[in-house]
Amino acid sequence: MLKKAALPDLTFETEAGFPALPVAGVDEAGRGPLAGPLVAAAVILDPARLPDGLNDSKKLTEKRREALFEEITATAHIGTCILPVEDIDRLNIHHATLEAMKRAVEALPHLPAHALIDGKFVPQLACAATPLIGGDGRALSIAAASIIAKVTRDRIMAELDLTFPDYGWAANKGYGTAAHKSALARFGATPHHRRSFAPIRKILSPHS
């Protein structure tokens, strides 16, 4: 019999002083796509109003993510950062991710006492912070942040798809699918493509 996968809980938040102290979970969406912004979110949950079913956004259906997005927005403190492609190309994706996470924490209504960061790197923050690999599947506040970040970014890509319908962004969210790469070969890069990423760089400078 297969062991049921563990769900995220408040263990890490409690160790950091929650709920007596405000603890934020921080995550991002959009590291890997060839197009579109990077979105980071920071969430401080309300211990008296925890949405049911919080989990890593990748493990949830789109319908469930959308429903939880509304619940989190209604009950928690949220900070978000939408980092444009220009900043991604200027900073590189690693440093862009840390910058977006930093700005998301700074966008919260008040500074948390502690931040739980998804991944193994921590941005420079004005509060204590702990990296947590696979945190979106382990800590409820990071799971909430992953949902806010992903739904926000997915909505942005759906909007961009209306202006640039040839690339299939409403479906592929800017990731390098076969259809997206085929469209790139036919139509070239848009202003929303990440010029520092190898497939785009190759299209723009084929002989370099």
Side-chain angles (χ1 to χ4, degrees), residues 170-189:
N172 63 46
K173 315 305 182 193
Y175 282 89
T177 62
H180 188 178
K181 289 180 178 178
S182 176
L184 275 167
R186 288 185 62 195
F187 305 111

Side-chain angles (χ1 to χ4, degrees), residues 1-2 4 8 35 86 101 147 152 161 203:
M1 184 176 178
L2 291 175
K4 188 176 181 180
E86 294 83 4
M101 287 179 163
I147 292 165
T152 299
D161 183 75
I203 288 169

